[in-house]
Amino acid sequence: MNDVAASDFRHPRRYVRLDTILRLRWLAVLGQLAAIFVVRQGLEFDVEVFPCLAIIGLSALLNLTLQIAFNPMQRLEPAYAAALLALNIVELAGLLFFTGGLQNPFSFLFLVPVLISATALPVRLTIGLGGLAVACASVLVYFHFPLPWDSDDPLILPPIYLFGVWLSIVLAIGVTSLYAFQVTEESRKLSDALAATELVLAREQHLTQLDGLAAAAAHELGTPLSTIFLISRELERSSQNSQIAADIKTLREQAQRCRDILAKITQLSASGAPFDRMLLSTLIEEIVAPHRDFGVAIKVRIAVAGSREPVGTRNPAILYGIGNILENAVDFARTTVEVNAWWNNETIEIVISDDGPGFAPDIIKRIGEPYLSRRRGPEESQSDHRGLGLGVFIARTLLERTGARVSFSNRIFPDHGAVVQVAWPRGRFEADDIPAEPALAAPPLSAI
């Protein structure tokens, strides 16, 4: 039950569709035209119409050219998307230059391209766009046409106010972009981790389906092989030629060998076989068995209970989830890992603990988040670095889908080590259970 490599899902290349950028640019063109019309015709302010219309016209012409020359549905490389967003910043700076610079309330639109980049493009490109926006805002503090206003009552803003506007734009670009990036990154991590979870579960279910197909094939092949075996045996007995008899004997032996192999497959994989449903203790032993030969003692204890031992389906999600938690315990343990199980009429619980360093206090409340890692100190070698991220997230997600509650804690001082509790409602664990059997005597509290 190996962990899924985080590198298979993290840091995907980010692409933005050309259509998305073009829609935003067309929206900007329409908004800019509407603003100039309202200011010029509605408010009757003396705005520099022709330079502004020239900038807007060039922007619309570029949009039209891109829409005709390229498929709008194609995904742009991050550098090309950043270039178009940078052009948006320059166009806005040009319009603000002719309409009052930072005195224009629309100067806060410098935020828009940077925010789009923070949610869709790599960090280095977002930082570059943020720097370009700050540079344009800084230039507009000193170089710009007067703000279109009533000539009889001109608006004169003090320098300290303009500095405040500039500072607010800079801070807004930095803070909101950082916030947007963090939210988007967390969402992306969660989406990628869930994709990894689905992949692991699909693989486990695929293996289970292969078991069923193998059993069906064994059943179908059993009859013709039996016929071949019987006919070859009769031919061997009736043959007078020793050479032919030897060949027929070899044929019979190989047919028998095929029958034996198919019999084993049928016993281990057939749908409805004993291993399709198993006692809780048997399920635990199947999970523990692959981890016994790693130099760490694994003690399995089954508590005495007054009710019969639970019988559950051989669920790939449970096998992978508990197995991954156990594998982490073996990795971190110094000498011993304990697997304790108990149940009653309402609840089934499995507790896995080790004698390792335990969970670090700063991450114990965040365990189960995707890509969360526990790293050892700088004095320890690189080989001692151990992850506790995507695998635990997958394990927790799979177990919770089966109805389990998973909790993480540390042993109480002076003991040390990590403790993971997995608990199911008994009815959920035994869903689609076979008819109730007489109460089975559970083994005493002892190591298996």
Side-chain angles (χ1 to χ4, degrees), residues 50-67:
F50 294 108
C52 292
L53 290 179
I55 294 174
I56 297 173
L58 290 174
S59 178
L61 181 61
L62 176 62
N63 293 350
L64 191 60
T65 302
L66 291 174
Q67 205 155 6

Side-chain angles (χ1 to χ4, degrees), residues 78-92:
Y80 296 132
L84 289 175
L85 292 175
L87 187 59
N88 288 350
I89 293 175
V90 173
E91 290 170 353
L92 176 62

Side-chain angles (χ1 to χ4, degrees), residues 124-139:
R124 58 183 177 82
L125 295 177
T126 301
I127 293 175
L129 289 173
L132 176 63
V134 171
C136 290
S138 301
V139 171

Side-chain angles (χ1 to χ4, degrees), residues 358-438:
F359 299 120
D362 58 326
I363 68 169
I364 193 168
K365 293 184 178 180
R366 300 176 55 206
I367 295 173
E369 294 182 8
Y371 309 114
L372 175 67
S373 295
R374 183 189 185 280
R375 300 301 183 203
R376 296 180 183 270
E379 69 280 358
E380 301 190 48
S381 64
Q382 182 69 23
S383 61
D384 290 330
H385 288 194
R386 307 182 184 184
L388 198 66
L390 183 57
V392 175
F393 172 84
I394 293 174
R396 183 173 190 171
T397 302
L398 292 178
L399 289 171
E400 288 179 346
R401 287 187 176 187
T402 68
R405 289 178 290 104
V406 184
S407 59
F408 302 87
S409 61
N410 286 322
R411 287 181 168 179
I412 300 175
F413 185 82
D415 294 333
H416 53 82
V419 179
V420 181
Q421 295 176 301
V422 185
W424 290 268
R426 180 159 182 158
R428 183 69 179 272
F429 183 85
E430 293 186 312
D432 300 324
D433 195 6
I434 56 177
E437 299 175 359

Side-chain angles (χ1 to χ4, degrees), residues 80-396:
Y80 296 132
L84 289 175
L85 292 175
L87 187 59
N88 288 350
I89 293 175
V90 173
E91 290 170 353
L92 176 62
L95 290 173
L96 292 175
F97 173 78
F98 290 106
T99 56
L102 296 190
Q103 299 179 30
N104 192 320
F106 289 102
S107 60
F108 278 90
L109 290 177
F110 278 126
L111 288 172
V112 177
V114 184
L115 284 178
I116 295 172
S117 176
T119 59
L121 299 181
V123 177
R124 58 183 177 82
L125 295 177
T126 301
I127 293 175
L129 289 173
L132 176 63
V134 171
C136 290
S138 301
V139 171
L140 289 174
V141 172
Y142 302 101
F143 304 99
H144 60 267
F145 277 64
L147 180 70
W149 203 257
D150 187 355
S151 56
D152 296 332
D153 186 19
L155 179 64
I156 302 176
L157 299 175
I160 189 65
Y161 178 82
L162 294 179
F163 174 76
V165 173
W166 174 86
L167 184 61
S168 64
I169 291 175
V170 172
L171 292 178
I173 289 174
V175 174
T176 57
S177 298
L178 179 62
Y179 176 78
F181 173 78
Q182 288 182 335
V183 171
T184 305
E185 190 67 14
E186 288 297 321
S187 176
R188 185 180 294 111
K189 285 182 178 180
L190 183 60
S191 176
D192 293 342
L194 287 174
T197 304
E198 295 290 347
L199 177 60
V200 169
L201 185 57
R203 286 176 177 173
E204 296 292 332
Q205 291 174 337
H206 181 62
L207 292 176
T208 302
Q209 292 168 357
L210 287 179
D211 286 345
L213 290 174
H219 177 75
E220 294 296 328
L221 292 174
T223 300
L225 277 174
S226 297
T227 303
I228 294 172
F229 175 79
L230 292 174
I231 293 176
S232 62
R233 186 172 62 182
E234 293 301 323
L235 289 174
E236 180 185 359
R237 290 175 179 176
S238 61
S239 177
Q240 301 298 324
N241 188 315
S242 59
Q243 182 62 40
I244 295 178
D247 292 339
I248 294 175
K249 179 181 179 182
T250 301
L251 177 62
R252 177 179 58 80
E253 290 174 348
Q254 294 303 312
Q256 180 60 42
R257 183 181 177 188
C258 290
R259 292 178 67 194
D260 294 340
I261 293 173
L262 293 179
K264 291 179 181 179
I265 293 176
T266 303
Q267 291 172 2
L268 295 177
S269 306
S271 177
F275 293 120
D276 281 352
R277 298 194 64 81
M278 54 180 63
L279 297 171
L280 178 64
S281 57
T282 306
L283 177 67
I284 292 174
E285 184 57 35
E286 178 175 339
I287 295 172
V288 168
H291 304 283
R292 287 196 180 277
D293 299 325
F294 292 94
V296 175
I298 301 179
K299 298 180 180 179
V300 180
R301 293 186 173 91
I302 308 296
V304 175
S307 58
R308 70 176 179 86
E309 184 173 353
V311 178
T313 304
R314 189 178 181 278
N315 191 321
I318 295 177
L319 293 175
Y320 181 90
I322 299 295
N324 187 277
I325 292 172
L326 180 62
E327 182 180 359
N328 275 304
V330 171
D331 285 344
F332 282 95
R334 291 188 171 90
T335 59
T336 306
V337 171
E338 296 183 1
V339 181
N340 300 318
W342 68 272
W343 64 86
N344 55 30
N345 290 329
E346 290 79 30
T347 304
I348 298 170
E349 183 171 307
I350 298 175
V351 180
I352 300 174
S353 58
D354 61 69
D355 60 351
F359 299 120
D362 58 326
I363 68 169
I364 193 168
K365 293 184 178 180
R366 300 176 55 206
I367 295 173
E369 294 182 8
Y371 309 114
L372 175 67
S373 295
R374 183 189 185 280
R375 300 301 183 203
R376 296 180 183 270
E379 69 280 358
E380 301 190 48
S381 64
Q382 182 69 23
S383 61
D384 290 330
H385 288 194
R386 307 182 184 184
L388 198 66
L390 183 57
V392 175
F393 172 84
I394 293 174
R396 183 173 190 171

